Amino acid sequence: MLCIATLAATNLRAADDVLIADFEGPDYRAWKVTGEAFGPGPARGTLPGQMQVDGFKGKGLVNSFYKGDGSTGTLTSPEFKIERQFISFLIGGGQDPEKTCMNLLIDGKAVRNATGPNNKPGGTEALAPASWDVGEFAGQSAVIQILDQATGGWGHINVDQIVQTDRKPPGVIANVTREITLEKRYLNLPVKNGGPKRQMSVAIEGQPPRNFEIELADGEPDWWAFMDSAQFKGKIAVLKVDKLPEDSAGLKAIDQSDELKNSDTLYHEKLRPQFHFSPQRGWNNDPNGLVFYRGEYHLFFQHNPYGWSWGNMHWGHAVSTDLVHWKELPVALYPDQHGTMFSGSAVVDWNNTAGLQTGEEKVLVCIFTAAGNPFTQGIAYSNDRGRTWSKYENNPVLPHIIGANRDPKVIWYAPDKKWVMALYLDGSDYALFSSKDLKKWERMSNVAIPGTSECPEFFEIAVDGNQQNTRWVFYGGNGRYLVGKFDGQTFTPESGPHTLHHGNCWYASQTFTDIPAEDGRRILIPWGQMATPGMPFNQMMGVPVELTLRTTDEGPRLLANPVKEHASLRAITHTIKPQPLNPGDNPLAAIKGELLDLTADIVIGDAAEVGFNIRGATVSYDAKKQELSCKGKKAALKPVDGKIRLRLMVDRTSIDIFGNDGRLYMPMGVIVPQDNLSLEVYAKGGSAKINALEVHELKSAWNSNLYQLRD
Ligand code: FRU
């Protein structure tokens, strides 16, 4: 690149580009700045509070998000002479042609204008190439003016790499299509995380088109998303992308295969949790539709099959016979005309109350939120043990009530032979509805849980295991729960809200419906809110835990313990003999391990602190404060008879901590260094005693063949 000053000498080589600005310096040089939005100089990428900014060149760029969207300002170039056919640049941010834009001014008049792509919430902070044909102004003096006069959402503009050039920069083509005859199981789509978001549709003969947003990689992808097209073999799919640079390889690169791309590393990727469920590819958040039917636990989940971040909500699906080994099945619910598929629940309709059963097999029914405009509740059903799903033709079954009402949790209320739905309304308000057939719902009563919102869970549970003495628990997305009574119409809280967990990665949990009475457990799975950077998937599910309601000195409280099935992953057990634990001692020094399940019973004695260093992560107990802490999270844990009991389950991106047999529940997202396999148990400021200590090295749940479908 040449700078303007050297132009005269090189004018003869007309093909050379002329750099107007690359914003690599510490300040804006001769550009004139007004207002605050453009900051003291070019930004070095993303600014505080901003989504990831990508697509700029080098290290610096114009980014008017300085002090957020609220700030305004202008940035004006020195005058320059137009001496090439095109001015090319990279641009992103808001889409307002008057308020968040870049203008080419000639004689003070805007003769060209460009904006970023965003005019609604969501969107992308990626800069994309754009250009103006300025041939008609050859020889004239011009000025570039970058404006940020907007203060609301997308009230900023990003610009970089402004160049005069004679080579026509690649244009952007609208509605690019490609036809593919589906021959193999997977249609593979290249994804570049943080790239420009494209609207894409795949229309398969005879099917409603599948529409989604995708950061389709123009060049080398970060990872490959897939669409399972097994059931459409031989059919033609028409792929359409709303906009693509004409030199993009994105659409051409889409290919088909019978094996998942990179299947050799599937489930062995560096940050793949080895005993927490995560989707093969793409994003997950909430668990949905937890239901048990004929030997299988079904786990549906909020899923973006085509992106590493939240979006395009589908219901992904996996099954397990033991809550430990999971097999991912094809997507169960696709977005439809009512919206994308937000969270909800599932039931077995044992008595065919909805009339949707077609054969011998009992029908499974999912009750979900369609997040359209507005949000409504709908149902879908399966007559083949969850393998294929149909939407009910008269959806929605519950029309919009208020705001972004969502996340229906449905249970069977046997005394009245009716279904009961807990639904999130708004604020911290929830409501209960009833139905005889899952299709028509009547509002019964309201529930408010201060300090929580979204994802209601509502169930009956025995107090201290006594089936004659039960209570009802109602909780929201963060697990804040009320304990009370339910008469079939109204939930009457007796205590709460209480805190269910003290971790940093737990949200939007659900419990299973239809667990057989002879088992009788209340089993919960939370979303494990933990990012997995650099992986072709993102997030995970928490360890399935059994909830019990126990009388404590503070009243009835929920306890959470890993389901007993988890013990099947124990491969090698190291048993440490009971012994004193003095400062400096570490009876675990000789043990190394990656995936661990550690159980400890420790007499605190006169130690000021006892704790563990697990592969570099510390879990410590302050004897005076009677408090356990890990990575800045703290929770009370009272010794019982001078002892504390701990269970620590260590996976690649988490440590699940259980104290005093589930009284303390603390799932922690932690990425421990891969090469650190060391373990330490310690006492400080006095002596403690190890009463019992076992370290179980675990197998990966993905390695074994234990999972067998009983098909
Ligand atoms: C909770 C939540 C739900 C919603 C879903 C959307 O994490 O916001 O309320 O249904 O995620 O993915």
Side-chain angles (χ1 to χ4, degrees):
M1 297 281 171
L2 301 168
C3 75
I4 294 177
T6 57
L7 241 167
T10 53
N11 235 357
L12 297 174
R13 285 157 46 212
D16 280 346
D17 290 350
V18 184
L19 177 67
I20 297 176
D22 60 7
F23 304 106
E24 290 300 295
D27 54 31
Y28 287 117
R29 305 215 170 135
W31 287 59
K32 226 178 97 221
V33 189
T34 68
E36 268 202 311
F38 293 92
R44 314 295 281 180
T46 309
L47 290 171
Q50 192 173 26
M51 289 191 292
Q52 174 85 25
V53 177
D54 281 297
F56 54 101
K57 190 151 183 256
K59 296 211 164 72
L61 77 156
V62 174
N63 180 348
S64 78
F65 195 72
Y66 188 74
K67 299 205 173 162
D69 275 330
S71 55
T72 59
T74 65
L75 185 62
T76 313
S77 77
E79 261 190 13
F80 62 94
K81 202 160 115 199
I82 296 200
E83 42 205 331
R84 296 288 183 275
Q85 181 81 23
F86 304 99
I87 295 179
S88 73
F89 45 88
L90 301 168
I91 192 160
Q95 205 197 41
D96 187 326
E98 283 168 8
K99 294 190 167 159
T100 56
C101 62
M102 181 163 87
N103 292 319
L104 179 71
L105 305 183
I106 292 187
D107 295 332
K109 218 178 107 221
V111 294
R112 293 288 182 273
N113 172 269
T115 69
N118 302 291
N119 59 5
K120 56 173 188 296
T124 175
E125 285 282 11
L127 281 73
S131 64
W132 294 317
D133 185 335
V134 292
E136 65 182 280
F137 308 115
Q140 300 194 37
S141 271
V143 160
I144 285 179
Q145 182 191 48
I146 306 176
L147 289 180
D148 175 356
Q149 301 297 328
T151 53
W154 285 114
H156 65 276
I157 174 108
N158 303 333
V159 175
D160 197 15
Q161 200 64 20
I162 311 175
V163 174
Q164 295 205 53
T165 180
D166 277 332
R167 280 169 296 156
K168 185 174 171 9
V172 170
I173 332 175
N175 297 326
V176 198
T177 59
R178 183 180 158 198
E179 266 189 25
I180 295 186
T181 305
L182 300 173
E183 282 156 349
K184 306 206 163 149
R185 168 145 192 205
Y186 299 111
L187 196 59
N188 301 304
L189 310 158
V191 181
K192 182 79 190 164
N193 295 337
K197 290 200 169 120
R198 311 294 183 197
Q199 296 297 328
M200 191 168 170
S201 80
V202 177
I204 301 171
E205 282 176 279
Q207 296 293 314
R210 290 177 181 172
N211 301 312
F212 49 92
E213 203 170 56
I214 183 168
E215 293 156 344
L216 196 67
D218 294 320
E220 195 54 35
D222 287 330
W223 57 282
W224 291 84
F226 67 86
M227 181 181 278
D228 191 327
S229 44
Q231 46 169 326
F232 304 120
K233 275 195 188 154
K235 299 212 160 156
I236 292 175
V238 181
L239 281 49
K240 187 162 115 188
V241 185
D242 65 337
K243 268 194 232 152
L244 267 193
E246 56 194 5
D247 61 347
S248 167
L251 193 56
K252 291 174 216 124
I254 293 173
D255 69 4
Q256 302 183 62
S257 59
D258 280 324
E259 289 277 307
L260 211 59
K261 285 248 188 196
N262 301 323
S263 58
D264 50 333
T265 51
L266 179 64
Y267 294 126
H268 303 291
E269 300 95 340
K270 194 168 140 216
L271 291 183
R272 174 73 72 176
Q274 295 295 296
F275 58 85
H276 293 71
F277 173 81
S278 54
Q280 294 177 332
R281 298 284 181 259
W283 159 275
N284 83 266
N285 52 295
D286 316 354
N288 294 149
L290 300 187
V291 63
F292 180 84
Y293 178 61
R294 280 192 48 204
E296 284 181 330
Y297 296 91
H298 291 262
L299 164 63
F300 301 87
F301 52 94
Q302 288 288 281
H303 186 33
N304 183 356
Y306 311 116
W308 192 80
S309 305
W310 185 90
N312 296 319
M313 283 297 119
H314 291 55
W315 276 32
H317 188 192
V319 283
S320 172
T321 54
D322 65 357
L323 295 162
V324 177
H325 303 86
W326 294 95
K327 178 184 168 106
E328 190 168 336
L329 297 178
V331 162
L333 302 182
Y334 286 86
D336 63 24
Q337 71 274 26
H338 301 292
T340 48
M341 298 287 106
F342 273 24
S343 286
S345 49
V347 294
V348 184
D349 188 2
W350 294 103
N351 305 314
N352 195 21
T353 63
L356 296 169
Q357 186 177 324
T358 52
E360 287 297 294
E361 203 69 69
K362 297 295 174 192
V363 64
L364 296 178
V365 180
C366 289
I367 308 94
F368 56 84
T369 298
N373 192 8
F375 282 28
T376 57
Q377 320 309 321
I379 61 176
Y381 56 96
S382 168
N383 278 293
D384 57 2
R385 303 171 65 229
R387 286 349 187 234
T388 58
W389 290 87
S390 309
K391 300 269 173 59
Y392 171 54
E393 56 184 2
N394 293 325
N395 277 341
V397 292
L398 185 59
H400 177 250
I401 297 164
I402 185 172
N405 51 191
R406 61 185 182 276
D407 308 339
K409 169 72 195 195
V410 173
I411 53 172
W412 178 247
Y413 186 70
D416 294 353
K417 295 200 172 52
K418 68 182 183 192
W419 302 101
V420 170
M421 177 198 291
L423 186 73
Y424 173 61
L425 297 182
D426 216 4
S428 39
D429 294 335
Y430 297 82
L432 290 172
F433 298 78
S434 73
S435 172
K436 288 282 178 195
D437 59 5
L438 294 166
K439 294 171 174 172
K440 287 183 296 298
W441 292 90
E442 272 168 39
R443 187 158 171 175
M444 298 194 295
S445 55
N446 298 330
V447 180
I449 321 178
T452 193
S453 63
E454 310 184 313
C455 303
E457 180 52 275
F458 185 47
F459 54 84
E460 187 176 20
I461 189 164
V463 182
D464 300 317
N466 175 3
Q467 299 297 338
Q468 309 314 314
N469 179 22
T470 65
R471 285 295 182 276
W472 286 75
V473 168
F474 201 127
Y475 68 71
N478 64 4
R480 298 280 288 162
Y481 66 98
L482 303 172
V483 180
K485 291 195 164 147
F486 179 55
D487 61 5
Q489 289 283 322
T490 307
F491 171 71
T492 310
E494 295 174 321
S495 73
H498 308 296
T499 302
L500 175 54
H501 75 93
H502 296 271
N504 68 353
C505 66
W506 187 107
Y507 196 70
S509 80
Q510 241 184 51
T511 70
F512 278 91
T513 60
D514 297 282
I515 301 266
E518 61 273 20
D519 178 326
R521 288 181 294 173
R522 177 61 49 184
I523 298 167
L524 171 153
I525 297 183
W527 167 19
Q529 216 170 10
M530 184 60 192
T532 38
M535 298 292 108
F537 63 95
N538 190 11
Q539 314 286 312
M540 64 177 184
M541 291 298 158
V543 163
V545 293
E546 179 182 354
L547 290 181
T548 50
L549 187 66
R550 300 277 161 200
T551 305
T552 72
D553 46 11
E554 295 167 45
R557 291 292 185 275
L558 287 174
L559 271 55
N561 282 293
V563 291
K564 60 178 189 300
E565 288 86 339
H566 215 281
S568 71
L569 290 180
R570 294 175 175 181
I572 300 171
T573 297
H574 307 269
T575 306
I576 309 299
K577 284 203 228 61
Q579 57 189 281
L581 186 65
N582 297 313
D585 290 351
N586 176 21
L588 297 181
I591 305 172
K592 304 230 171 304
E594 187 199 13
L595 310 172
L596 303 160
D597 183 356
L598 185 153
T599 54
D601 189 331
I602 298 177
V603 182
I604 304 296
D606 60 10
E609 181 185 330
V610 294
F612 289 88
N613 277 315
I614 308 283
R615 306 187 55 206
T618 306
V619 178
S620 66
Y621 183 71
D622 184 321
K624 195 153 159 231
K625 292 191 186 151
Q626 303 194 334
E627 191 176 75
L628 192 85
S629 51
C630 179
K631 294 257 151 193
K633 284 278 171 188
K634 296 179 187 312
L637 182 67
K638 280 196 196 141
V640 177
D641 302 329
K643 288 183 296 190
I644 56 164
R645 290 168 70 84
L646 288 179
R647 181 160 177 195
L648 310 178
M649 296 170 75
V650 186
D651 201 343
R652 289 190 180 163
T653 65
S654 59
I655 303 183
D656 287 276
I657 304 171
F658 301 88
N660 288 356
D661 302 305
R663 182 76 174 89
L664 178 135
Y665 174 30
M666 197 177 194
M668 296 296 296
V670 181
I671 297 184
V672 290
Q674 249 193 318
D675 51 355
N676 185 345
L677 301 176
S678 69
L679 296 178
E680 183 191 11
V681 55
Y682 66 83
K684 284 185 187 164
S687 297
K689 190 177 159 240
I690 291 173
N691 226 13
L693 177 56
E694 277 188 333
V695 180
H696 307 279
E697 293 182 45
L698 301 181
K699 293 179 277 198
S700 162
W702 303 117
N703 277 338
S704 79
N705 295 321
L706 283 181
Y707 185 85
Q708 253 155 37
L709 275 180
R710 290 199 273 132
D711 268 333

